[in-house]
Amino acid sequence: MVILTLLVMLGVMILLAFFRSSIWGWLLAMVVFVFIAAIQSKLSADLFQVATIVLAVIVAVLGVPSLRRLLVSSQILKIFRKILPHISQTEQEALDAGTVWWDGDLFSGHPDWRKLLKYPKPALSAAEQSFLDNETETLCAMLDDWDITHVRQDLPPQVWQYIKDNGFFGMIIPKEYGGLELSALAHSAVVAKLASRSITASVTVMVPNSLGPAELLVRYGTLEQKEKYLRGLAQGKEVPCFALTGPFAGSDAGSIPDYGIVCYGEFNGQSNVLGMRVTWEKRYITLAPVATLIGLAFKLYDPDGLLGGQTKLGITLALIPADTPGVRAGRRHFPLNSAFQNGPILGQDVFIPMEYIIGGIDRIGQGWRMLMECLAAGRSISLPACATGGVKLAVRTCGAYSRVRKQFKLPIGKFEGVEEALARIGGNAYLMDAARTLTAAAVDMGEKPSVISAIVKYHCTERARTVVNDAMDVHGGKGICLGPSNYLGRSHQQNPIAITVEGANILTRSLLIFGQGAIRSHPYVLKEIQAAQDSDEQRALRDFDTALLGHISLSLSNAMRACLFGFTGGLGLSVPAGEKTRRYYRQLTRFSAAFALAADVSMLMLGGNLKRSEKISARLGDVLSQLYLCSATLKRFEDDGRPIEDLPLLHWAIQDALYKIQIALDGVLHNFPSRFAALLLRALIFPRGKYLAPPPDKLGHQVSVLLQQPGAARDRLTAGMYLPNDENDAVGALDAALHSTLQCEPLQARVNAAHKAGQVTALGELMRIAEAHQKGFINSEEAQLLERDHELQRKVIMVDDFAPEQLAAGSNII
């Protein structure tokens, strides 16, 4: 009877957890449990009466809003205000920027997978596809990365002109101002395709369409500013840059020392013009050496009260023509042998009129918020696209090279060590492209996903580093010798640039992803903080009480769900149909509940110290990130029509991510400051222990085989990259060599068998082919195929060599 009662109680709690019951549901359950316990234990009348009174008091206090607020919520609110960490103005503006999208579902512990899958499949318009297939394809064909990065250290003049003439600087500018007005998905596709050919060209096109003058003008510019500048930017008559980072303000960009003083001055021959004298020193500014229009962030002060308000006006953004007296630019940085234009830009007491402020006087002091709002969307597009384009190049070339290159009489791709690297390359590429596409689609749906943008920026660039490192290992000597035939070396050199910019990855992982997500994406935390900051005490208490009750109910629900699904692996959950994917949706739901629970307990136990517990925050961010990356991967598989050929890629990507979630949660628990809380969480999150494993070797083998042979899956994996149809091009020759190798393998086997039997005795490969032809083992056409195959193999495995004078400093004779 006791066991039956316990099972009934457990069943009630499970139902409450499943349906995210309100506090009333949990209180009702408490009443039921007490009465059942009384009956089971046969309490005396007096004891039962006492238990009933105690329970009635608890129910009255918690169940009657006025009593609960007076006796419970008001006290918790006082404690909450004490432990709430100080939030600076720049942090607050970062939190207020952007929107909450799918990250909100993941943070709730109750992700609605059917809602995710109902989002329309991302697709380019006919005009956008045409731009990708024609103008972008033509631009890629014009690019010789060795010439760009070694000989010129710049794009050729004809490439610069083509970029300007064909609207590449105006991809995000509305058509009414002469721009292309591409969707975020198309913008991403263009950057990715260029990145598969030349990082320099990709960055040159990416920057004017990312955080900078064009986007700031489109969002915040006055009508006069839009008319004055947007058409010139769209037509390439103006080359923009945006100057934010300086020697003393890198990742902490809000601490910029650059300043402007409101004053009267002379401008364009007119005296007594109200404006600002601005002084700045910026560095790492892409396109600064060639820019004609500078976007500038600085702190504005009004010591004489000329604007009639406060003295410290805050971060302000202005547009300054590069030929303005006092502006100094033109020198270049040299970031890891990349040739995109990047350098310092300075100004000393540069007088500019008020009309140069982006958005006019009304936007004074709003600069940081403007930047954060733009970054919330912009970071979702450019860097993930650039990283993914480079990874697609690695996928295509590594697969082909592993099949063509032979050692010990076997293609190197058949060796298990190489297979392991190829599996990582393929699985990461599949997941990265899924995340890039889904995130760009979210922006096109009107979202400004600040937390998700940090996730994709960090993980796409980090995984790109992993992929390129693996690709270099696979290529061996071919990868390390720079020259015209090396298609990987520059990517290997330049990958740390993407790791560093738009929020260094260490900072992004340890502070931004969970730090912002815990407040921004959580269903209740931001509401609790806003209530705590409200100066109206009655409204603050009412709103805090409502949010607190929802928070408690959600936490109880997630605790039950995490434990139950930890036991069952999510068995019984209603998830989208699909025999091959059902278990993944269940495990992800389980981990979403576990993550939400761990996040709540971390915030409760650590309070304001969580902000400084960067390693705990980073691991929780890892869990949230992997949940999102898995979501994107499953959405891609569904949008592609569940192709069976892609299953090895899907399985590898999801299993790798699930294993990383398990590791991250275990790391949180192992290092949690409160050992009691850690033990309790471990019992709830891992009731069966840690039973997930990384992708098995057999699965890695399947992925590596997929990369090494032409087919629909390989083409989908590298769709959108530039594929030169020219055997004189290093990448084009490699693709041709792969097809030739597969075609000639049966012929090569015949020649090898004759040689092994002593019927063909020539030593050199070409002489052996000739002897085999002469003795009738192969015909003339087959001999020609083998000779061409040998030529292609030699072409793709050879590396460049130079005369000493060609490598001398300043040499441009290669």
Side-chain angles (χ1 to χ4, degrees), residues 226-250:
K226 291 179 180 179
E227 291 288 348
K228 182 176 182 180
Y229 292 116
L230 284 180
R231 203 170 299 279
L233 288 167
Q235 296 172 352
K237 294 178 180 178
E238 298 277 11
V239 177
C241 72
F242 186 77
L244 174 61
T245 305
F248 299 100

Side-chain angles (χ1 to χ4, degrees), residues 9 49 54 141 148 199 209 232 236 292 371 502 506 658 726 777:
M9 293 167 67
Q49 188 175 15
V54 171
I148 291 167
I199 297 296
N209 294 286
T292 62
L371 292 175
E502 291 193 11
I506 289 177
L658 288 172
D726 179 4
F777 292 104

Side-chain angles (χ1 to χ4, degrees), residues 444-458:
D444 284 330
M445 289 188 284
E447 300 291 342
K448 300 179 183 67
S450 54
V451 174
I452 287 175
S453 71
I455 289 173
V456 292
K457 186 273 175 180
Y458 174 83

Side-chain angles (χ1 to χ4, degrees), residues 624-645:
L624 178 61
S625 298
Q626 300 298 340
L627 288 171
Y628 178 73
L629 296 173
C630 285
S631 302
T633 304
L634 289 166
K635 177 74 163 70
R636 170 184 182 160
F637 185 68
E638 294 291 335
D639 285 345
D640 287 347
R642 302 181 185 175
I644 295 175
E645 303 93 336

Side-chain angles (χ1 to χ4, degrees), residues 604-775:
L604 176 65
M605 301 298 295
L606 297 176
N609 289 326
L610 183 58
K611 185 177 179 179
R612 292 177 289 278
S613 302
E614 295 177 25
K615 295 174 185 177
I616 297 291
S617 178
R619 294 184 182 103
L620 289 169
D622 290 343
V623 179
L624 178 61
S625 298
Q626 300 298 340
L627 288 171
Y628 178 73
L629 296 173
C630 285
S631 302
T633 304
L634 289 166
K635 177 74 163 70
R636 170 184 182 160
F637 185 68
E638 294 291 335
D639 285 345
D640 287 347
R642 302 181 185 175
I644 295 175
E645 303 93 336
D646 291 1
L647 278 173
L649 296 166
L650 173 79
H651 290 318
W652 195 98
I654 299 291
Q655 290 177 28
D656 176 69
L658 288 172
Y659 182 66
K660 287 176 177 174
I661 290 174
Q662 181 176 266
I663 290 174
L665 283 171
D666 182 58
V668 170
L669 302 180
H670 185 71
N671 294 279
F672 205 73
S674 168
R675 298 317 305 152
F676 173 77
L679 290 171
L680 179 60
L681 281 174
R682 188 174 292 279
L684 291 171
I685 292 173
F686 296 119
R688 287 171 50 195
K690 303 185 295 295
Y691 56 82
L692 294 178
D697 293 343
K698 183 178 179 181
L699 182 57
H701 169 75
Q702 293 170 1
V703 173
S704 71
V705 169
L706 185 150
L707 265 60
Q708 294 178 71
Q709 58 190 26
R714 182 171 181 260
D715 288 342
R716 276 190 295 271
L717 191 58
T718 58
M721 70 169 285
Y722 177 67
L723 291 172
N725 189 23
D726 179 4
E727 292 181 12
N728 292 316
D729 182 280
V731 177
L734 190 52
D735 231 36
L738 173 63
H739 287 85
S740 175
T741 293
L742 295 174
Q743 182 185 13
C744 290
E745 277 186 345
L747 307 179
Q748 190 68 56
R750 262 191 270 161
V751 174
N752 291 343
H755 178 67
K756 188 175 182 181
Q759 296 168 309
V760 173
T761 58
L763 297 179
E765 181 66 27
L766 291 177
M767 291 187 292
R768 195 177 298 152
I769 293 170
E771 185 180 349
H773 175 216
Q774 182 182 11
K775 293 182 176 179

Side-chain angles (χ1 to χ4, degrees), residues 291-421:
T292 62
L293 187 62
I294 302 163
L296 182 70
F298 58 94
K299 290 180 179 176
L300 186 59
Y301 300 88
D302 184 14
D304 297 327
L306 298 181
L307 298 179
Q310 30 186 336
T311 300
K312 298 180 180 179
L313 303 179
I315 294 176
T316 301
L317 309 182
L319 278 183
I320 305 175
D323 59 2
T324 302
V327 175
R328 288 188 289 151
R331 294 181 64 82
R332 293 180 63 178
H333 299 310
F334 194 29
L336 293 176
N337 278 344
S338 184
F340 63 84
Q341 294 284 335
N342 182 278
I345 190 165
L346 303 93
Q348 182 72 36
D349 287 333
V350 178
F351 183 82
I352 58 174
M354 285 292 173
E355 66 194 50
Y356 279 14
I357 294 173
I358 299 176
I361 291 180
D362 291 342
R363 290 287 181 180
I364 287 176
Q366 297 183 27
W368 188 250
R369 182 182 182 89
M370 293 159 66
L371 292 175
M372 290 300 100
E373 288 176 348
C374 289
L375 196 61
R379 192 162 48 184
S380 303
I381 302 168
S382 300
L383 290 172
C386 198
T388 304
V391 163
K392 289 185 177 186
L393 174 66
V395 169
R396 194 86 182 184
T397 55
C398 277
Y401 190 80
S402 298
R403 195 68 181 80
V404 172
R405 175 68 163 155
K406 293 182 176 65
Q407 291 289 277
F408 307 102
K409 300 181 180 179
L410 281 175
I412 62 171
K414 292 187 180 292
F415 291 93
E416 290 190 354
V418 175
E419 278 191 351
E420 192 174 22

Side-chain angles (χ1 to χ4, degrees), residues 263-277:
C263 62
Y264 286 99
E266 184 175 332
F267 187 76
N268 284 347
Q270 296 183 355
S271 59
N272 210 33
V273 175
L274 182 63
M276 304 152 282
R277 289 203 175 275

